[in-house]
Amino acid sequence: MWTSSGGSSASSKTAKRKSSSTAGSAFNEKAAEKMFEEFAEEDDPTVMGMDGIIKLCEHVDLDPFEDKRVLVLLWKLGSKEKPSQITKEEFLTGCYNLHVDTIGKFQSLIPSLDTGFLDEMEFKDFYKFCFQFNRQGTHRTLDKELVVALMKMVLTGRIPDDRLESFCTFVETQEAYTRITLDQWTSFLDFCFAVPDLSQYDESSSAWPVLIDEYVEYMEELQKKK
Amino acid sequence: MATNVGNQRIIPLEEGWNDEIKAKAIDKLEALLNGEMKSGSMFGPKEYVQIYTTCYDMCTQRSPYNWSRELYQRHGETIEKYLTTTVLPALRDKTGQGGTILLTELRHRWLNHQIMNKWLKKFFTYLDRYYVKHHSLPTLSQAGLRCFRTKVYDEMKGETTNAILGLINDEREGKIIDKSLIKSVVELFESMGMGSLDAYNSDLEEALLNSTREYYAKKREDWINDSTPDYLIKAEEALAKESKRVDDYLNSASETKILKVVEEEILERVEMVLLEKESSGCRALLQNDKSEDLQRMFRLFSRLENGLNPMAAIFQNFISSMGDDIVNRRQARLEGGEKDKNDDPKFVKSLISLHEKYLGVVKQDFTGHSLFQKALKDAFVEIVNKNVGQFTNAELMSTFCDRILKSGGEKLSESEVEESLDRIVQLFSYLTDKDMFAEIYRNQLAKRLLTQRSTSDDSEKLMIAKLKMQCGTQFTSKMEGMLSDLAVGSEQRSEFENRMRSVDSKLDFSVQVLTTGFWPTYKSPEVALTPEMSKCMDIFKDWHEQKHQKRKLTWVLSQGNASVRGVFGKKSYDFQVSTLQAIALDAMNNGVTMTFQELATKLNAEESILKPLMHSLSCGKYKVLIKTPPGNKINPTDTFTANPKFTSNMRKLRIPMATLESSLNTKRVEEDRTIAIEAAIVRIMKARKTLQHQQLLSEVLNQLAFFNPNPRDIKKRIEGLIDREYLERSADNAQVYNYLA
C-alpha cells in the first residue's frame, strides 16, 4: 500500500510495519499518518501534544479529563518518550499493533480499553504509565492532589474501596510530602495486593516506603479513636 | 602302677590332693586366716616349692592321669566352701550391730580373701599357664574374685552400703569416723567391678548420690532463712568438705558427681531466692560494698551453668538505677531553678565516679568476667544516653574536657589530666551519638586553639590520640588537621615576621592560616579595616601568593585579635581585644563621638555584629567607651564616645566579646549523617548486588559506628537512592533491592 522512500530514518522504521497482511485487513499507514497530522502540534508535526489528544478524544467521544480509557489508549499506543504527548513514531507503531487506521476503528476500539481486561502484570504496567504520563516537563514527581485524583480514577474497582478511600484521605491530609515519587506510587499498588489486611503489617521488616508506614500508623490511630 | 618318663611315680588324684595339697597348703592356709596360728608363719620357700611341684606334677602327668581339670575345679570349690562355711556366717553375725562393726568384719574377711586368693594362685600357677588358656577359662584370681563376689559381696553389699552412708552422714554432722576403714571397703567395691567401676557405681555411688541429695536438701531448708552471705559461707564450706571426703576415702571419679548434686541442692534450687533476698541479696551486697561476700557469691554461682546470668542482670539493674539517680539529681537541679548551661561538671564527675567504682567491682569481685563487663557496659549505654535539659550529655562531656584542657579551667597535674581524659573517653565510648560529640569537641577545640587558651599542646594531642584509639583515624582526622595547621603556622611565623620587618618595621602582625574543612565554618564579615591593617594584610597576601599560588585565602576577621594601646590622659593601657573591637576603637580615636549608624557605615558592619561589638566596649566590665543614653542594651539610636574617666589598676586588660555565632551546628551533623547513610547503602549494595531489605538494614547499622539511625531514616535514604536510580526494587520481590550499575 505504501512505498518506502529511500534514505530517511523514518522509512527504515516503517519498513517494519510492512504488514504480513491478513486477508482483507491490511494496515493503511498513509491513513494513519493523515490522522496523526490532524492532531499533531502546530510547531512540531512529529508530536501530538495534549491539545491534539483532547481533540482526538472529542472525535471518538471520550472525556479526556474523566475517562481513564484515554490513558489506556495512550498506553496501548505506546507513548513513552515524554509525558503528556505521543510521538508520530509511537503513534504509528501503536496504530499498527492495534489495527486501527481510521477514527471509526478507534471508536470501535474503545470498549476493549476497559481495564477489567488487564491481568495483574498488565495492570501494574498501565498503572505505572499513568504516573509517568502525567508528569509535567522534566519533573519526576507528581503533586499530591493530582496523585489523589489519578488514583481515584484509575484504581477504583481494582482495589477495595475502603483502602483507596482511606489512602487518598491520608495523602491529602498529611503534610510531610507535598509531592509523590514514582516509587511511592508503584509501591502503593504492590502493597495493596501484598497486604490486604493491615493488621498483618509489620513495619520492622517492611521495605515499603516510609509513606506507607505512615499510612498504616495513621490507620491504627483512627482505629484507636473508635 | 604306671611309670612316667624318667622313672617318676604317678601321683593319684586323691592322694595328691588329700595328702599334699589339702593338708599342707589349704588347711594350713585356712588355719592361718582363722587366726589359729601365729601370723608370720606363712609358707616358707621350701614348703611353697614342694606344694607347687606337687601341683605341677599332677598337671603334667600323662593322660589319663592328668589332673588339671580336677585341680581347677577343686580350687574353685575350696574357695567357695571356705567363703560359705566360714566367711558368710561370720559376716551375718555382725549385722545389726552398727556400721563400724560390720565394716570392720568385712574388711577383715576381704583382706583374708585376697591373701587366700594370692596363695592359691601361687600354688596352682601352672594351671594359669596352660589349662586356663587352653580352655578359655577365668584365671585363678578371677575365679577367686568372682566367687567372693557371688557368695559374699552380693549378699552383703546392701547393708555395707547403708553402713557406709550412715558413717558419712555422721561425719557430715561433725562426728569423727574411721576413714581408713571406709577406704578399705571402698576398695572392695572397686575391685568387685573386675576392671571397671561398675560395681562401685551401681552398688555404692548411686546410693551415695541419693543420700547426699537428701541430706543437702534438708540442710537447705535449715539454712535458707539465714542471710545470703551466711548461707553462702555454709555452702562453700560444705562443698569444700565434700571434696575432701572424696579425696580421703572415695573413688576420685565420684568428685564431680557429688559436687554437682550438692551444687544443685544448695545453690541451683535456691539461686533466685538467695540473690533476691531483701536486705542481704546481691543488690544489697552491691549497695553496701560487701566485696568479700560478692566474691564468694561469684565463686559459688560460677560453678553452675548459666549461674552467673541472674547475678549479672541484678548488677546491671543496680548500676542503671544508680545512674538514673544521678540523672534525676541533675533534672531536679534544673527544675529547681539552676541555669541550664552546657557545663555541668558535677553531673559528669558523678558519672565518672560511678563508672570507676563499678569497673573496680567488676575487676576485683567478679574477676573481670565478660558477663559483668557487658552488664556494666549495657547499663552505662542506657544511662549515658539519657539527656536532660536542652544540652545533650555529649555536649556536657565535651565541655568537661574543655574545662580540663583550657587554661583557667580546672587546675590539675599532668597525671591527673591524663587520668581524667582517660575516664571521660571511657564514658564517651558509651555514647550513641558520637558524631555529635566530635562536632562539639571540634568547635571547642578550635576556640581553645584560636584564642590560645589551651593549657598544653601535649594534652590536646593526648586526648585526640585516645579518641583515635576508640574510634579510628577518620574520627579524629579534622582535629589532627587543626593541630597540624597550627604547627605549620608557627614554623612559618618567623619567616613571615622577617618579611614584615623588612617591609615596615613598625607593624607587628602575624597570620594563622587555617585549612578549610578541618575547622568549623566561621562567618567572614567584610568589615572595613584601618589602613594599617589593610597594609599588613596586603603584605601577607603577596608573601603567601609567592609560596602557594593555587591557594585561595578568605580572611576570618571575627576570630582575630589585637593589642590596642589606649592613652587616657596621663595613663596608658594595653587592651587585648578582638580585631573587630580594635577597628571600632580606632574609629573612636581622638575623642570623636559617633552614632551607631555612623559606625555601622564606617565599619561596614551589620547590626548583628556591631551590637555585641559595641556592647563589649561600653556595657561590660571595662567601659572604655561611654554610651549615650546609658544602659545595658545597644540601640541603633545610641551614640558613643571614648570614656575620659576610664581608669583601672591593671595595665594590661582583656576585653572579652560575646562570640558571634553559636558554635554548635546540629544541622551540619544531620547532613553528615544523611551522607554517611547513603554512602553506606551504596557501598553495601555495590558489593552485594542484590540484598533483602532486612539484611541491608542490619549491614548499614553495622557500618555506622558513630550514631544510630532509626530504620525509617535509613528507608528514606533508600527511597532517595531509588529515585536517583542507584537502586531498584526487585520485580519479583518488593522486599529485595538490586544495585543499578
Side-chain angles (χ1 to χ4, degrees):
Chain A
M1 301 280 295
W2 40 269
T3 52
S4 55
S5 40
S8 66
S9 58
S11 67
S12 62
K13 283 182 195 157
T14 58
K16 279 193 267 175
R17 286 198 289 275
K18 215 172 200 160
S19 57
S20 51
S21 43
T22 46
S25 54
F27 176 71
N28 185 342
E29 179 164 348
K30 264 271 175 322
E33 249 190 87
K34 195 138 179 288
M35 227 194 335
F36 184 82
E37 276 155 30
E38 208 189 316
F39 306 114
E41 290 280 286
E42 268 180 37
D43 33 5
D44 186 357
T46 64
V47 158
M48 185 195 304
M50 276 321 288
D51 291 336
I53 292 169
I54 291 171
K55 217 163 151 200
L56 170 60
C57 289
E58 282 165 8
H59 276 70
V60 298
D61 229 349
L62 277 179
D63 183 343
F65 302 107
E66 300 293 328
D67 196 334
K68 66 179 184 255
R69 291 177 294 182
V70 175
L71 286 171
V72 180
L73 177 61
L74 288 160
W75 170 61
K76 286 198 171 187
L77 282 174
S79 154
K80 266 195 181 57
E81 196 182 301
K82 281 200 189 141
S84 309
Q85 65 167 46
I86 181 163
T87 66
K88 188 171 178 183
E89 236 355 273
E90 291 167 340
F91 182 83
L92 292 176
T93 313
C95 285
Y96 175 74
N97 288 330
L98 295 173
H99 307 296
V100 293
D101 46 24
T102 63
I103 291 290
K105 287 195 186 151
F106 263 108
Q107 262 169 334
S108 34
L109 192 61
I110 290 173
S112 72
L113 299 178
D114 199 293
T115 54
F117 293 117
L118 303 176
D119 67 26
E120 194 171 300
M121 288 302 307
E122 291 168 327
F123 184 80
K124 278 189 185 178
D125 195 54
F126 164 66
Y127 172 74
K128 182 173 172 185
F129 169 82
C130 290
F131 182 96
Q132 300 288 53
F133 186 80
N134 276 286
R135 289 173 301 153
Q136 307 282 14
T138 53
H139 288 183
R140 305 175 45 147
T141 54
L142 293 185
D143 187 75
K144 72 174 180 181
E145 258 118 49
L146 175 55
V147 163
V148 166
L150 210 46
M151 277 191 177
K152 285 186 174 156
M153 172 166 42
V154 166
L155 291 179
T156 304
R158 200 79 193 190
I159 62 170
D161 287 339
D162 56 352
R163 175 68 63 93
L164 180 57
E165 188 65 45
S166 59
F167 188 74
C168 287
T169 312
F170 165 70
V171 172
E172 272 167 335
T173 54
Q174 60 76 35
E175 284 161 11
Y177 306 91
T178 48
R179 300 188 70 83
I180 303 295
T181 64
L182 175 63
D183 183 42
Q184 287 165 323
W185 171 269
T186 52
S187 293
F188 174 66
L189 183 62
D190 291 340
F191 165 73
C192 289
F193 290 144
V195 187
D197 179 4
L198 290 186
S199 66
Q200 300 297 317
Y201 189 75
D202 174 21
E203 181 178 341
S204 59
S205 61
S206 94
W208 301 111
V210 177
L211 177 70
I212 302 217
D213 293 334
E214 289 173 354
Y215 165 68
V216 175
E217 220 171 53
Y218 161 87
M219 292 299 281
E220 282 170 4
E221 284 299 309
L222 281 185
Q223 269 293 87
K224 283 187 198 159
K225 283 178 188 159
K226 284 186 191 156
Chain B
M1 279 206 236
T3 53
N4 249 341
V5 176
N7 260 352
Q8 210 162 324
R9 196 181 75 91
I10 298 284
I11 309 175
L13 174 61
E14 294 306 333
E15 193 192 296
W17 180 262
N18 288 320
D19 296 348
E20 288 294 321
I21 298 176
K22 185 165 191 308
K24 296 188 181 160
I26 293 173
D27 287 345
K28 179 167 177 188
L29 183 54
E30 290 185 7
L32 275 166
L33 294 178
N34 292 337
E36 290 155 22
M37 289 176 73
K38 271 190 301 189
S39 64
S41 33
M42 273 298 174
F43 303 96
K46 255 192 185 171
E47 261 181 291
Y48 166 69
V49 168
Q50 199 188 8
I51 301 167
Y52 173 83
T53 312
T54 310
C55 294
Y56 178 85
D57 287 343
M58 288 172 80
C59 293
T60 48
Q61 285 169 175
R62 240 183 339 154
S63 184
Y65 302 108
N66 185 308
W67 308 123
S68 299
R69 187 167 73 109
E70 285 72 15
L71 286 187
Y72 185 82
Q73 256 176 320
R74 289 183 186 202
H75 165 267
E77 283 160 7
T78 305
I79 296 181
E80 195 178 319
K81 179 153 170 259
Y82 181 71
L83 291 180
T84 338
T85 55
T86 312
V87 174
L88 258 185
L91 283 170
R92 286 178 184 146
D93 189 52
K94 296 289 190 293
T95 62
Q97 299 182 37
T100 313
I101 294 185
L102 173 63
L103 292 178
T104 311
E105 184 65 30
L106 183 58
R107 175 175 58 180
H108 174 58
R109 296 294 166 189
W110 166 239
L111 288 174
N112 275 3
H113 177 75
Q114 286 173 66
I115 295 172
M116 179 182 234
N117 221 19
K118 178 179 87 173
W119 281 107
L120 289 180
K121 175 194 154 75
K122 279 167 93 140
F123 297 145
F124 293 103
T125 284
Y126 192 74
L127 285 172
D128 264 345
R129 233 172 258 157
Y130 294 103
Y131 180 72
V132 160
K133 284 198 179 134
H134 201 251
H135 294 264
S136 299
L137 290 163
T139 65
L140 297 168
S141 319
Q142 279 173 346
L145 265 182
R146 280 190 197 187
C147 206
F148 190 86
R149 187 171 71 181
T150 44
K151 295 293 164 194
V152 177
Y153 173 78
D154 279 344
E155 186 177 310
M156 303 305 306
K157 66 189 177 187
E159 275 211 57
T160 310
T161 298
N162 287 339
I164 294 178
L165 294 186
L167 287 175
I168 288 179
N169 274 357
D170 285 344
E171 191 183 44
R172 285 175 175 155
E173 288 299 310
K175 303 197 188 122
I176 309 274
I177 62 170
D178 187 346
K179 295 192 229 206
S180 65
L181 172 58
I182 304 185
K183 194 169 163 82
S184 309
V185 180
V186 165
E187 276 162 10
L188 165 60
F189 279 92
E190 287 169 342
S191 307
M192 290 291 97
M194 315 257 203
S196 82
L197 280 176
D198 288 348
Y200 172 82
N201 287 343
S202 47
D203 300 333
L204 177 60
E205 194 186 60
E206 201 178 305
L208 172 60
L209 292 174
N210 287 335
S211 91
T212 303
R213 192 179 287 282
E214 247 177 71
Y215 180 81
Y216 282 105
K218 190 163 175 305
K219 278 292 160 194
R220 178 184 70 230
E221 299 306 313
D222 290 342
W223 296 343
I224 196 63
N225 294 319
D226 287 355
S227 72
T228 298
D230 286 345
Y231 182 104
L232 291 178
I233 290 175
K234 291 184 179 152
E236 199 169 43
E237 232 177 71
L239 285 164
K241 283 194 183 148
E242 292 300 324
S243 214
K244 185 160 190 308
R245 171 165 304 111
V246 175
D247 240 6
D248 285 346
Y249 52 78
L250 296 172
N251 185 291
S252 61
S254 297
E255 180 160 0
T256 25
K257 298 180 205 174
I258 292 181
L259 289 180
K260 185 152 192 298
V261 166
V262 179
E263 284 163 8
E264 275 169 22
E265 291 303 315
I266 63 176
L267 291 177
E268 205 172 311
R269 283 195 203 270
V270 283
E271 177 168 12
M272 292 318 293
V273 172
L274 291 170
L275 290 179
E276 290 173 351
K277 263 191 206 252
E278 186 73 35
S279 51
S280 66
C282 186
R283 198 185 174 90
L285 296 179
L286 286 167
Q287 205 119 34
N288 298 314
D289 299 327
K290 295 285 185 192
S291 185
E292 215 187 281
D293 292 326
L294 286 168
Q295 285 174 30
R296 179 171 303 110
M297 188 182 261
F298 175 80
R299 273 200 304 273
L300 289 174
F301 288 115
S302 41
R303 289 163 166 264
L304 306 174
E305 198 175 319
N306 300 329
L308 292 175
N309 296 39
M311 256 182 96
I314 295 177
F315 183 61
Q316 184 177 335
N317 270 328
F318 175 74
I319 299 176
S320 278
S321 65
M322 302 280 284
D324 274 343
D325 283 346
I326 295 176
V327 172
N328 289 338
R329 279 203 288 272
R330 170 172 153 78
Q331 175 136 41
R333 278 188 281 125
L334 291 179
E335 282 169 3
E338 190 178 294
K339 186 154 178 252
D340 193 358
K341 304 179 286 181
N342 72 347
D343 188 17
D344 191 350
K346 226 187 273 187
F347 174 70
V348 179
K349 279 185 188 164
S350 308
L351 286 180
I352 289 181
S353 300
L354 183 69
H355 188 256
E356 271 310 294
K357 180 169 180 190
Y358 289 98
L359 191 59
V361 167
V362 170
K363 286 193 190 143
Q364 249 190 309
D365 298 340
F366 303 133
T367 69
H369 191 283
S370 64
L371 260 182
F372 292 87
Q373 280 187 19
K374 183 167 190 298
L376 180 71
K377 173 175 175 223
D378 289 346
F380 265 89
V381 165
E382 207 193 300
I383 299 167
V384 142
N385 292 298
K386 279 199 175 123
N387 295 312
V388 158
Q390 53 166 313
F391 295 102
T392 60
N393 290 345
E395 185 153 2
L396 297 179
M397 286 197 244
S398 184
T399 310
F400 187 81
C401 296
D402 189 54
R403 266 175 170 261
I404 296 175
L405 292 166
K406 74 177 180 202
S407 49
E410 303 251 343
K411 290 250 176 293
L412 297 170
S413 72
E414 213 178 285
S415 61
E416 282 172 332
V417 166
E418 159 127 43
E419 199 182 73
S420 298
L421 292 180
D422 213 35
R423 293 188 179 160
I424 198 78
V425 170
Q426 281 174 17
L427 270 193
F428 157 83
S429 71
Y430 302 123
L431 276 177
T432 328
D433 293 342
K434 292 188 172 74
D435 56 352
M436 198 62 91
F437 177 92
E439 182 65 16
I440 299 168
Y441 186 84
R442 211 162 59 90
N443 279 312
Q444 291 176 334
L445 172 65
K447 188 161 176 209
R448 287 196 295 275
L449 295 175
L450 292 179
T451 56
Q452 282 129 11
R453 320 263 323 281
S454 168
T455 319
S456 126
D457 211 34
D458 284 337
S459 299
E460 296 286 356
K461 288 196 185 132
L462 188 64
M463 179 64 181
I464 293 176
K466 287 186 198 292
L467 289 174
K468 189 151 113 172
M469 250 208 323
Q470 267 284 336
C471 300
T473 336
Q474 201 205 359
F475 192 75
T476 51
S477 58
K478 287 182 186 165
M479 299 173 201
E480 292 184 309
M482 294 202 287
L483 287 184
S484 78
D485 273 352
L486 291 188
V488 165
S490 63
E491 276 169 24
Q492 309 214 319
R493 189 152 303 142
S494 48
E495 211 191 299
F496 180 65
E497 263 169 32
N498 290 335
R499 180 58 185 275
M500 273 302 299
R501 226 163 285 137
S502 68
V503 173
D504 186 330
S505 57
K506 279 187 283 153
L507 297 169
D508 184 3
F509 175 67
S510 66
V511 177
Q512 173 62 52
V513 179
L514 310 176
T515 310
T516 323
F518 291 158
W519 298 79
T521 37
Y522 297 109
K523 290 200 201 110
S524 312
E526 300 252 337
V527 176
L529 299 164
T530 67
E532 292 87 351
M533 287 182 183
S534 300
K535 188 170 175 207
C536 290
M537 274 170 68
D538 288 337
I539 298 175
F540 183 80
K541 257 191 260 185
D542 290 335
W543 178 79
H544 188 264
E545 270 268 311
Q546 280 173 19
K547 283 190 143 258
H548 311 277
Q549 285 88 355
K550 297 225 189 99
R551 288 193 187 169
K552 177 179 171 237
L553 291 181
T554 308
W555 293 89
V556 185
L557 299 173
S558 54
Q559 303 295 325
N561 46 56
S563 177
V564 174
R565 170 77 50 84
V567 179
F568 292 80
K570 293 227 170 78
K571 292 187 86 178
S572 60
Y573 304 90
D574 282 329
F575 299 119
Q576 308 298 320
V577 292
S578 69
T579 307
L580 296 176
Q581 287 169 313
I583 298 173
L585 287 175
D586 180 76
M588 307 274 24
N589 202 8
N590 294 322
V592 303
T593 302
M594 291 184 85
T595 66
F596 186 87
Q597 294 299 343
E598 286 171 335
L599 279 166
T601 317
K602 178 160 188 189
L603 268 47
N604 191 32
E606 289 180 349
E607 201 175 288
S608 58
I609 295 175
L610 193 56
K611 270 195 182 171
L613 176 47
M614 298 315 291
H615 189 277
S616 68
L617 297 170
S618 61
C619 310
K621 186 171 173 191
Y622 303 110
K623 295 179 174 50
V624 181
L625 303 177
I626 296 181
K627 177 175 93 79
T628 316
N632 213 25
K633 205 161 173 280
I634 304 288
N635 294 306
T637 47
D638 292 339
T639 56
F640 301 88
T641 187
N643 180 3
K645 293 212 186 92
F646 178 78
T647 180
S648 170
N649 290 333
M650 298 195 286
R651 175 83 199 280
K652 261 194 170 168
L653 299 168
R654 198 175 77 88
I655 308 183
M657 187 176 119
T659 37
L660 296 178
E661 54 231 295
S662 82
S663 49
L664 177 54
N665 206 340
T666 4
K667 203 156 158 272
R668 161 85 157 260
V669 175
E670 295 294 335
E671 282 166 14
D672 286 345
R673 285 183 177 182
T674 305
I675 295 173
I677 298 175
E678 285 199 357
I681 297 172
V682 171
R683 207 169 29 237
I684 294 166
M685 290 303 301
K686 190 168 176 188
R688 313 279 237 107
K689 303 295 181 216
T690 278
L691 205 52
Q692 204 254 0
H693 174 76
Q694 288 286 76
Q695 290 174 300
L696 178 58
L697 273 195
S698 72
E699 299 233 359
V700 168
L701 286 170
N702 273 341
Q703 284 209 11
L704 298 173
F706 305 135
F707 65 101
N708 213 13
N710 63 54
R712 270 202 192 172
D713 287 338
I714 301 180
K715 269 220 273 204
K716 286 200 175 137
R717 297 291 111 242
I718 294 176
E719 285 183 59
L721 289 169
I722 290 178
D723 199 47
R724 282 141 61 199
E725 292 176 13
Y726 280 83
L727 307 177
E728 66 176 4
R729 294 183 195 273
S730 160
D732 313 309
N733 183 349
Q735 306 286 315
V736 171
Y737 304 104
N738 295 331
Y739 180 69
L740 294 173

